[in-house]
Amino acid sequence: MPSQHRLTVRGTPVELQSGGSGPALLFLHGAGGAGRWLPFHDQLARRFTVYFPKHPGHGGAPAAEWIEHISDLAFHYLDLLDELKLGRVHLAGSSLGGWIAAEMATMVSHRLKSLALIAPVGIKVDGWIYPFLFAMELPQLVATVFHDQAKALALAPGDLTGIDTLAELYRERAALARVSWNPYLYNPLLRRRLGRITAPTLLCWGEHDQVSPLVCAEAWAKEIPGAELRTFAASGHLPHLEEPEAVAAAVADFCGAREVAR
Amino acid sequence: MKFYYFHLMPYPMEHDAPSSWVTLSNRHYDPEVGHALYNQYLDQFEHAERLGWDGLCVNEHHQNCYGTMPSPNLMAAMLARRTTRAKIAILGNGLPLRENPLRIAEEIAMLDVVSGGRIISGFVRGIGPEYFSTAVNPTHSRERFYEAAELIVRAWTEPGPFAFDGRFYRYPFVNPWPRPLQKPHPPIWCPSQGSSETVEWAAQRRIPYLMVFTPIKRIAQIYGEYREACERYGYQASRYQLTVNLPIVVAENDEKARTIARQTALWVYHTGLRMPLTFWLPPGYLTESSFRRSLAVPRKLPTELSFEDLEEGGYIICGSPATVRDKLRVFSDELSAGIVCSGLPAGSHAATLDMMEMFAQEVMPHFREDAGVDETAGIGR
């Protein structure tokens, strides 16, 4: 079981879970994933000390009004690494979290032992426009994000009749919209910067991803020098949730190998 | 009391889609039908001036069948040349929806000069679905609204050129030609649904507060909050700062009026305003505290309102001329509302013209204690 921490990073309150032992691995969640320590994280925690913060405004964490661009989140997590006195780390992220991780990697690649991006959004891909999830009612959202819709239960919010729960969900959507509404789910500057990433990079992708489909994976693989792409046959946009053992093994093996190599 | 003729310019159609906004395909829009509708609607406006209405109201909405006026300033431009007396109230321009709000200052000034100073300039944020249609970030809505409003008022009143450097809007040269005719500028109105931040903003600036499609109990409450805020800012709200927008259906007798309203007013609520909650409430459109307040007092969505809710709740007025007069008295005497903006959803064009005549002959004259008073003098600026 992970331990819970509350700290302040350059004036911004952070809610953080951490667990496991071994080299430090920072995991950045996607929308709806805040604070949800999953079997995926358990499995990673067998080989790494997993640090799992909530993005400000997500999962009931207090909002940070100063965060208005995706790079603000990237700097926020660089500050968190300093606050935790972590030097070089393994960095992993899913979807929005993968986008933030990629932004960080373009800034401080030398600080990363490895980078694992699980179906990140964040770049413009010719021939693809991300479906506008903000406009979707729950059934359509679930059908778009998941391959096996039953798996969505793992992310179901608690008491949907409670004012506090609804206000927290509204806060999370606002925090998400602040950085991603327009341009929707990407930073026009990121793609041409991906070539700066020197950290060994693993891309994990669900073969049935309808948010950021395989055509996006190919673009990422093309832009990040030497990136390795692994696909997962029974997953949609969240393979670490739909196939936790396989994805955790892929990430742990990839990151672990970079640990030994040094 | 002053009467303003309000039009949504709807595209009245029936459909089973979950939303009349944003996603309702425009393949349903037949431009031939639209040609007839637009011209009938404009005829109704001109008719309203002839019949004695004090003002004509247009408004901005995007990508829907509820109201087909994406550019209210265009409609105002047509009215500016085809009318001579009535105020032309644009209720309003969606300030945050514009990337270049200086264009609003320019267009309103043009209209004001052409019309001989008859323009009323409503400032609105636009409703939730507009943020999906324009892709403007709804989390910026409030701040863009305040910033654009400041820019526009300064552009109208401060001799140019000057530089404006906001968070969202930046101009090295603000210097619009023409300047508006009215001094210091055309009156500003604030059509809204009662968020406390907006009440405060309007009261502080003596800007009339227009309650749109709201039940009468809530109108009374918000008017109270508005008056209180005005007093805190050291003045008494004039009755012409308290305005209301509600549909009125008048016919020979109550039963006939109900039959018509059941068709037409209910279309507005059940079809025109049909959309999922995600469209009503884009992220960050409300502050978290406003969001919490809206949950604490559960309100029905338009589509959840029955005809009885609409009639009894005072969302609409319908009845014989005598009934309509009695119900309007509540607004004029009890709520001290000085201006009623009202559409008369009658159905066909011919029926609308008839209903307008009945209203002008049998209702309006009973509320003319303030004939000769200029409702815009010193207000909204």
Side-chain angles (χ1 to χ4, degrees):
Chain A
M1 271 287 108
S3 53
Q4 315 279 336
H5 312 271
R6 283 171 192 274
L7 53 156
T8 301
V9 177
R10 284 164 64 86
T12 300
V14 171
E15 295 182 12
L16 170 79
Q17 291 175 299
S18 67
S21 57
L25 184 151
L26 176 64
F27 180 85
L28 302 179
H29 64 82
R36 297 176 189 277
W37 186 276
L38 301 164
F40 168 80
H41 300 100
D42 267 335
Q43 199 170 320
L44 280 184
R46 289 186 207 140
R47 291 172 64 181
F48 299 92
T49 305
V50 176
Y51 293 90
F52 182 19
K54 290 179 181 174
H55 307 324
H58 290 241
E65 292 294 311
W66 67 270
I67 293 177
E68 56 186 36
H69 187 265
I70 198 73
S71 61
D72 288 329
L73 280 162
F75 284 115
H76 171 67
Y77 286 118
L78 294 177
D79 293 339
L80 175 68
L81 292 179
D82 292 342
E83 181 70 29
L84 295 172
K85 300 195 166 38
L86 298 173
R88 299 182 73 240
V89 296
H90 301 282
L91 178 60
S94 149
S95 189
L96 168 74
W99 178 8
I100 301 166
E103 297 274 355
M104 293 167 72
T106 62
M107 298 166 174
V108 294
S109 198
H110 57 277
R111 195 163 176 180
L112 305 181
K113 293 177 179 171
S114 72
L115 176 66
L117 304 176
I118 305 166
V121 293
I123 64 170
K124 181 168 171 60
V125 174
D126 288 343
W128 182 249
I129 295 174
Y130 301 107
F132 204 67
L133 304 175
F134 286 116
M136 291 183 187
E137 298 288 288
L138 195 58
Q140 193 191 359
L141 187 64
V142 168
T144 306
V145 171
F146 291 88
H147 176 55
D148 176 0
Q149 296 186 28
K151 299 270 171 58
L153 284 173
L155 296 185
D159 171 24
L160 266 181
T161 56
I163 286 183
D164 287 338
T165 312
L166 292 170
E168 284 178 5
L169 285 171
Y170 194 68
R171 187 194 309 161
E172 175 165 325
R173 285 166 68 87
L176 187 61
R178 284 171 75 85
V179 300
S180 72
W181 185 275
N182 183 356
Y184 176 59
L185 286 187
Y186 70 90
N187 171 3
L189 304 175
L190 178 59
R191 184 163 177 170
R192 64 170 175 261
R193 293 174 179 169
L194 291 179
R196 304 189 76 247
I197 298 175
T198 52
T201 301
L202 173 69
L203 301 165
C204 295
W205 233 276
E207 290 182 9
H208 304 278
D209 194 330
Q210 299 174 65
V211 176
S212 177
L214 284 175
V215 62
C216 301
E218 287 155 18
W220 282 86
K222 190 175 139 210
E223 300 292 349
I224 300 179
E228 188 177 310
L229 173 62
R230 289 279 305 275
T231 63
F232 297 86
S235 290
H237 184 55
L238 304 174
H240 67 299
L241 198 150
E242 296 209 54
E243 295 176 79
E245 295 84 9
V247 179
V251 172
D253 289 347
F254 185 86
C255 300
R258 273 67 200 174
E259 198 58 46
V260 174
R262 287 192 57 80
Chain B
M1 188 176 238
K2 303 293 182 182
F3 292 93
Y4 280 34
Y5 188 72
F6 175 89
H7 218 306
L8 288 168
M9 298 202 175
Y11 190 84
M13 59 174 282
E14 300 299 331
H15 66 86
D16 299 324
S19 181
S20 288
W21 294 72
V22 186
T23 53
L24 180 66
S25 172
N26 63 1
R27 71 186 157 80
H28 294 294
Y29 185 85
D30 181 343
E32 300 287 345
V33 174
H35 170 75
L37 287 175
Y38 271 147
N39 285 287
Q40 289 171 0
Y41 294 157
L42 288 163
D43 286 347
Q44 289 164 21
F45 270 128
E46 292 173 33
H47 198 52
E49 185 187 59
R50 284 193 293 274
L51 289 172
W53 261 271
D54 305 285
L56 312 171
C57 308
V58 294
N59 64 109
E60 171 175 349
H61 287 300
H62 298 269
Q63 298 188 180
N64 70 92
C65 67
Y66 163 88
T68 52
M69 260 188 288
S71 170
N73 299 349
L74 278 183
M75 288 303 173
M78 298 177 209
L79 295 174
R81 286 283 300 172
R82 299 281 294 180
T83 62
T84 56
R85 176 187 55 78
K87 309 284 185 199
I88 300 171
I90 301 161
L91 303 179
N93 276 282
L95 307 191
L97 307 178
R98 296 292 191 97
E99 292 308 328
N100 174 14
L102 199 49
R103 180 67 178 256
I104 296 171
E106 292 172 330
E107 289 176 357
I108 297 291
M110 287 173 72
L111 289 166
D112 203 45
V113 171
V114 169
S115 69
R118 289 187 286 135
I119 299 298
I120 290 169
S121 176
F123 287 172
V124 297
R125 289 167 65 202
I127 64 172
E130 253 98 52
Y131 289 82
F132 292 86
S133 302
T134 61
V136 168
N137 194 322
T139 68
H140 299 159
S141 164
R142 195 170 290 279
E143 223 182 313
R144 281 167 76 102
F145 177 81
Y146 294 142
E147 193 175 302
E150 187 203 333
L151 167 69
I152 292 168
V153 171
R154 286 187 57 192
W156 283 338
T157 53
E158 276 183 37
F162 62 87
F164 185 90
D165 192 29
R167 177 176 170 217
F168 296 102
Y169 305 117
R170 292 173 289 271
Y171 302 87
F173 301 101
V174 177
N175 190 25
W177 292 59
R179 293 189 291 125
L181 192 146
Q182 295 180 79
K183 295 287 168 273
H185 58 76
I188 296 167
W189 279 19
C190 183
S192 184
Q193 296 193 310
S195 88
S196 43
E197 293 93 343
T198 311
V199 167
E200 197 69 24
W201 181 85
Q204 189 177 4
R205 291 162 178 78
R206 296 180 185 245
I207 291 174
Y209 200 81
L210 172 67
M211 294 297 304
V212 181
F213 291 5
T214 312
I216 192 162
K217 261 172 71 181
R218 186 162 160 81
I219 294 176
Q221 178 206 332
I222 303 296
Y223 278 2
E225 290 175 15
Y226 181 83
R227 279 199 195 88
E228 212 180 278
C230 292
E231 276 164 30
R232 260 189 286 113
Y233 289 108
Y235 72 100
Q236 291 255 310
S238 143
R239 60 190 294 124
Y240 299 119
Q241 281 172 265
L242 301 166
T243 62
V244 63
N245 179 4
L246 79 172
I248 298 176
V249 171
V250 62
E252 290 89 83
N253 55 58
D254 289 354
E255 212 31 60
K256 193 170 172 206
R258 273 203 196 95
T259 307
I260 298 168
R262 222 175 255 284
Q263 283 266 318
T264 58
L266 218 49
W267 181 88
V268 172
Y269 282 85
H270 285 187
T271 304
L273 288 171
R274 184 194 309 156
M275 73 183 93
L277 201 56
T278 44
F279 287 168
W280 274 119
L281 266 186
Y285 179 80
L286 296 180
T287 59
E288 193 173 320
S289 56
S290 286
F291 180 78
R292 282 176 178 273
R293 267 200 309 277
S294 76
L295 291 178
V297 191
R299 267 184 296 160
K300 288 181 176 176
L301 289 173
T303 44
E304 295 167 339
L305 293 164
S306 67
F307 181 72
E308 287 67 31
D309 289 334
L310 292 179
E311 195 185 6
E312 287 156 23
Y315 289 83
I316 64 168
I317 288 178
C318 84
S320 67
T323 303
V324 170
R325 288 196 298 264
D326 288 347
K327 291 187 173 178
L328 270 175
R329 280 277 165 228
V330 176
F331 285 91
S332 71
D333 298 359
E334 290 175 30
L335 298 179
S336 296
I339 303 175
V340 170
C341 305
S342 169
L344 297 171
S348 71
H349 179 50
T352 303
L353 297 180
D354 288 348
M355 191 182 283
M356 290 171 76
E357 270 169 43
M358 182 180 282
F359 189 85
Q361 283 163 15
E362 300 190 39
V363 178
M364 246 192 243
H366 296 262
F367 294 84
R368 288 314 202 178
E369 300 89 346
D370 60 353
V373 177
D374 179 0
E375 69 275 22
T376 63
I379 288 172
R381 43 204 163 185

